[in-house]
Amino acid sequence: MAERAVDNAGENNATGAEQDVQAILQELQVHQIELEMQNDELKLANEELELQQLRFSSIYNLAPIGYFILNSSGVVTDVNNAGLTLLETGKMGLASKRLIQFVVPVHTDVFYRFYHEMSIRRARESCQLTMRSQTGREFHAQIEGIAIKAALGEQPQYYVAIIDISESIEARRALAETKDRLQLSLEASAAGTWELDLETMEFYLDEFNRNILGGMHGNGFDRGYKNFINILHPEDREMVDHCFRNSINFDKEIDVVTRIMNAEGGLSYASIRGHVIHEAGNVKRLAGIIIDITEKRRIEEETIKLKRNQQNEISLATLTAEENERRRISDSLHDSVSQLLYGIKIKLGLLNSGRPLNNEQQDINLLIDQAIAETRNISFELAPSILTDFGLPATIEELAKRLSSSKMHIQTRATGFHQRPDIVLETSIFRIIQELLNNCMKHSGASQVKIEIKKNKHIEIHVKDNGVGFRYKENERAVSGSGLSSIKNRVNLYNGKLDVQSAPGKGTAVNITLNF
C-alpha cells in the first residue's frame, strides 16, 4: 500500500510538472506573438518614415529655400539641397547634429523659444536670428516651422524652412544710414527758405528753392502764389493749396510732399514745411523751407521694389513646389492607377472571351470605365500633360470640353499665342482660369461662360458668365475665401491688375491683365 501511494504521488508530481511546462510554453508563444506584432508595427513605422523622407526629397530638393526635418531632440534627420548649400556642408556633415549648433551663441535663446513654441502649440512659428555655416560664414535668417505628429503616441517631427535675408537686412541698414546722412545734410543746409506775405499773397523764394522747383526764372515766376501752385505737378496742386489754406485759416503746420516737373522734363520730389508767424506790429505771414527729397524717394522706392521682388520669389518658389507635387501625383494616377484599371478591364474581357456578359459583369465594366474616366479627369486637373505638350490654347479648350454640360456651355477663344510664353506663366494662367470656372460652377448658376485670352504686350484674360451675379464690393472678403485670393496672388506675381464687374441678375465679368 505504501509503495502504491508513493507511486501515485510520483505520478501526480510528474503530471503537475508537465502542466507547468505546458503553461510556460504557452506563455512563451504569447510573448512570441506579441514580439512579432511589435516588429510588424515597427516595420510599418519605418516604412512610413522612409515614405515621408522620400516625399520630402522629391518635393523640396529643387526649391530655392532651405527645408529641414528635425526629430524631437532637434537633430536634423533630412534636408534639401538648398539647406545644404545654406549651411555649406554635405549630409555627412549634418549627421547626428542638432540645428541649434549652427545658430550663433548670442541667439541660441531665440531658437530655444522658437523650438519650444512649436512643440507646445503645434502651430506655425517664426523668428529671426543669425546663423553660422560649417565654414564659419554668418548670415541673417528668417526661420519658419511647425511640429507635426504622425500618429498617436509617436514623437513629433519638426518641419523647418530657413531663408537667408542678409541682403534685405543690409539693404535696410544701408537705407537707414542714408536717411540719417541725408537728414543731417538737409538740416545743416542754410538754403531753401520761402515766405508768403498774407496781405499781398506774394511768394518769396531764395535761389536754392528756385533750383529745386526747376529754375522758375525761366518759367516767368512773378512771385504770385497762384504762379507757385501752377508750377507743381497738376495732380498735386489742389492738395498743396488745401494745406496752405488750412495753415492760414486754422494756424496749422504745413508738412506736405509734392511732385515737380523739372527743366529737363523729369520728375522731382519736394518736401514743403512751414508755419504761420505772428509778430507784433507786422502782417501775419507764412514761412518755411523746401527740401529736395528726390534721392530719398528713389531709395525708398528701390527698397519697396526689393521687398516686393523678394516676396515674389518666395511666392513663386511655393507655387513651383505645389505644381511639382501636383505633377507627381498626376503622373502616379496616370501611370499606375489608370494602368491597373485598364489591366482589370482587359482581364475581365479575357475571362468572358466569346461569351456575352451577364448583368453583373456589365455593371462591373461600367464601373471600371467610370473609374478610368474619373482618374483621367483628376490627373488632368492636377497637372494636364497637354499643357506641356501643346500649350495654353489647347489646354483651355480641353478644360472647357471637360467642364461643359447640358446645363452650362463654355466657349473659349485664344489669340496671339504664335510664340509660347514660358511654362510657369502658362501654368499660372491655366490655374487662374481653372479657379474662375470652379467658382462659376459653384456659385453663378450660369448657362453660358465665355473665356477669351489675348497675348500682345500683355496677357489679357476675360471670363464672363450670364449667372446670378452678386455685389462684389460688399462681398469681396467672402469671395476671396472661395478662391479669389489665390488668383490675386498669381496676378500680383506679374504686377497685374484684377477687375471684377458684377451685379445681382447681371452675371459676372472678370478682367485680368498680366505683365510679362
Side-chain angles (χ1 to χ4, degrees), residues 31-46:
H31 282 304
Q32 180 67 25
I33 293 171
E34 290 177 349
L35 285 173
E36 290 176 354
M37 292 175 65
Q38 291 176 359
N39 287 335
D40 289 340
E41 292 176 354
L42 182 60
K43 183 179 179 182
L44 288 172
N46 288 332

Side-chain angles (χ1 to χ4, degrees), residues 390-403:
F390 299 101
L392 184 65
T395 307
I396 298 303
E397 186 176 348
E398 177 65 21
L399 178 65
K401 288 179 181 179
R402 289 173 179 269
L403 297 182

Side-chain angles (χ1 to χ4, degrees), residues 257-320:
V257 174
T258 183
R259 294 167 291 176
I260 303 108
M261 299 299 296
N262 55 39
E264 291 77 23
L267 196 64
S268 300
Y269 289 86
S271 174
I272 303 176
R273 300 177 185 176
H275 58 273
V276 176
I277 297 177
H278 302 274
E279 293 180 352
N282 292 326
V283 177
K284 187 169 66 171
R285 56 196 173 92
L286 276 174
I289 60 172
I290 297 179
I291 305 171
D292 186 353
I293 60 169
T294 304
E295 183 65 16
K296 175 184 176 183
R297 198 63 174 258
R298 184 189 65 80
I299 294 173
E300 289 175 348
E301 289 176 352
E302 287 183 357
T303 303
I304 293 171
K305 184 179 179 181
L306 175 64
K307 289 180 180 179
R308 187 188 300 118
N309 289 340
Q310 287 178 338
Q311 185 60 45
N312 284 349
E313 287 177 3
I314 294 171
S315 299
L316 190 59
T318 303
L319 291 175
T320 302

Side-chain angles (χ1 to χ4, degrees), residues 13-23:
N13 289 336
T15 302
E18 289 177 358
Q19 291 175 346
D20 290 342
V21 170
Q22 289 177 354

